């Protein structure tokens, strides 16, 4: 590749060309801002609904896991109760063959302990079943909210998709033009442009001087400053708002 055919590096592009590119970039970004403004808060609302739905789904899953654990606990308590009943039956048989009162009382005490074990198991089962009922009610309420939010999300997504589809082709075209507009501008200047856009309410980072005033904050720009801007020898920013002053708009008669 010859030197003549090589692409010009952004750092070697004249300041006037960079300012022209920045003005074009600002114009394109303003059009993109307007397209996105039509969407309003819909993208954020969709994200919030998706996060809320994910939270409800995690909650339902946690309730299901808790209920499974409680059911396992009930199963173990029922088995303990059955084991206690088997022991009572065994002790009853042993009691028929005791040789003295001491053996009889010892077995009677074991039978009493197993009956107490059954009572405790029954109490624990009832408590666990109550917790299951409470959690099932919470699941029902949560699933009801989940269904409502899913319907809301479907509506919001449908609304957003419609708006996006209406402007999709235009937005794609503007983005392609934007990519071209950034080529003559070095990264450092693009970073500054992006930072300024993020710091100002209307998104205007590059403006013209109109009627001796900054086109962004409307503060007066001195004549000598305007002469420097017109010369296009360096990047000049407004001393009041920090916006890039690309040019001075010619006065009409």
């Amino acid at each position: 590749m010859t030197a003549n055919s090589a692409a010009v590096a952004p750092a070697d592009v004249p300041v006037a060309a960079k300012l022209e590119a920045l003005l074009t970039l600002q114009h394109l970004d303003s059009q993109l801002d307007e397209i996105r403004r039509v969407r309003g808060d819909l993208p954020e609302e969709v994200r919030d609904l998706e996060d809320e739905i994910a939270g409800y789904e995690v909650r339902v899953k946690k309730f299901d896991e808790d209920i499974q654990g409680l059911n396992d606990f009930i199963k173990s308590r029922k088995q303990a109760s059955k084991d206690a009943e088997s022991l009572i039956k065994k002790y009853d048989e042993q009691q028929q063959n005791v040789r003295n009162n001491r053996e009889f009382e010892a077995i009677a005490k074991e039978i009493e302990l197993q009956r107490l074990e059954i009572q405790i198991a029954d109490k624990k089962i009832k408590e666990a079943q109550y917790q299951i009922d409470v959690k099932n009610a919470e699941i029902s309420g949560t699933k009801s909210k989940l269904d409502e939010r899913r319907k809301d999300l479907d509506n919001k997504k449908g609304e957003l998709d419609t708006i996006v589809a209406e402007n999709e082709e235009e937005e794609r075209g503007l983005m392609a033009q934007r990519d071209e507009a950034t080529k003559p501008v070095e990264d450092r200047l693009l970073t500054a442009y992006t930072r300024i856009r993020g710091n100002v309410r209307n998104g205007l980072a590059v403006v013209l001087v109109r009627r001796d005033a900054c086109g962004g904050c409307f503060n007066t720009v001195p004549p000598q400053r305007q002469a420097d801007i017109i010369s296009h020898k360096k990047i000049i920013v407004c001393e009041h708002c920090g916006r890039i002053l690309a040019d001075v708009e010619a006065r009409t008669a």
Side-chain angles (χ1 to χ4, degrees), residues 135-194:
K135 290 185 183 294
N136 276 326
E138 290 175 336
I139 287 176
S140 179
T142 303
K143 283 185 175 179
S144 178
K145 291 178 182 177
L146 189 55
D147 289 340
E148 290 176 6
R149 292 299 179 269
R150 281 173 175 160
K151 289 176 183 176
D152 291 341
L153 179 60
D154 287 342
N155 291 334
K156 293 290 184 183
K157 273 189 171 180
E159 190 177 347
L160 180 59
D161 289 344
T162 299
I163 294 173
V164 170
E166 289 174 352
N167 300 290
E168 187 175 12
E169 187 174 345
E170 181 184 1
E171 186 174 5
R172 192 184 299 115
L174 288 170
M175 289 301 296
Q177 294 177 57
R178 189 185 190 283
D179 288 342
E180 286 298 316
T182 60
K183 288 181 179 179
V185 188
E186 66 263 32
D187 291 342
R188 177 185 59 82
L189 194 53
L190 280 176
T191 299
Y193 167 83
T194 302

Side-chain angles (χ1 to χ4, degrees), residues 71-85:
N71 280 323
D72 290 342
F73 176 78
I74 288 173
K75 185 178 179 181
S76 70
R77 289 299 86 201
K78 285 182 175 179
Q79 184 59 51
S81 183
K82 286 181 180 179
D83 292 343
E85 288 174 355

Side-chain angles (χ1 to χ4, degrees), residues 11 32 44 46 92-93 97 113-114 131 138 157 160 163 182 184 202 205-206 208 211 231 233 251:
L32 287 165
E44 186 175 346
V46 166
D92 280 338
E93 292 174 354
N97 301 310
L113 286 174
Q114 296 307 316
Q131 291 182 50
E138 290 175 336
K157 273 189 171 180
L160 180 59
I163 294 173
T182 60
N202 57 10
V206 183
L208 300 177
R211 297 182 179 277
S231 71
K233 291 182 179 178
R251 289 180 177 271

Side-chain angles (χ1 to χ4, degrees), residues 13-72:
V13 174
V15 172
K18 292 179 184 179
L19 288 168
E20 185 179 352
L22 284 171
L23 268 176
T24 300
L25 182 61
Q26 179 64 75
H27 178 66
L28 293 168
D29 278 338
S30 293
Q31 291 182 75
L32 287 165
D33 288 344
E34 186 57 35
I35 288 174
R36 289 158 186 165
R37 195 172 294 119
V38 173
R39 299 171 191 169
D41 295 329
L42 277 174
E44 186 175 346
E45 289 174 8
V46 166
R47 285 193 297 272
D48 288 345
L49 281 169
E50 287 174 338
D51 290 343
E52 189 175 357
I53 286 170
Y56 282 137
E57 288 173 341
V58 169
R59 189 180 301 178
V60 169
K61 183 179 179 182
K62 179 66 168 58
F63 284 147
D64 286 337
E65 290 173 351
D66 289 345
I67 288 173
Q68 181 60 51
L70 288 166
N71 280 323
D72 290 342

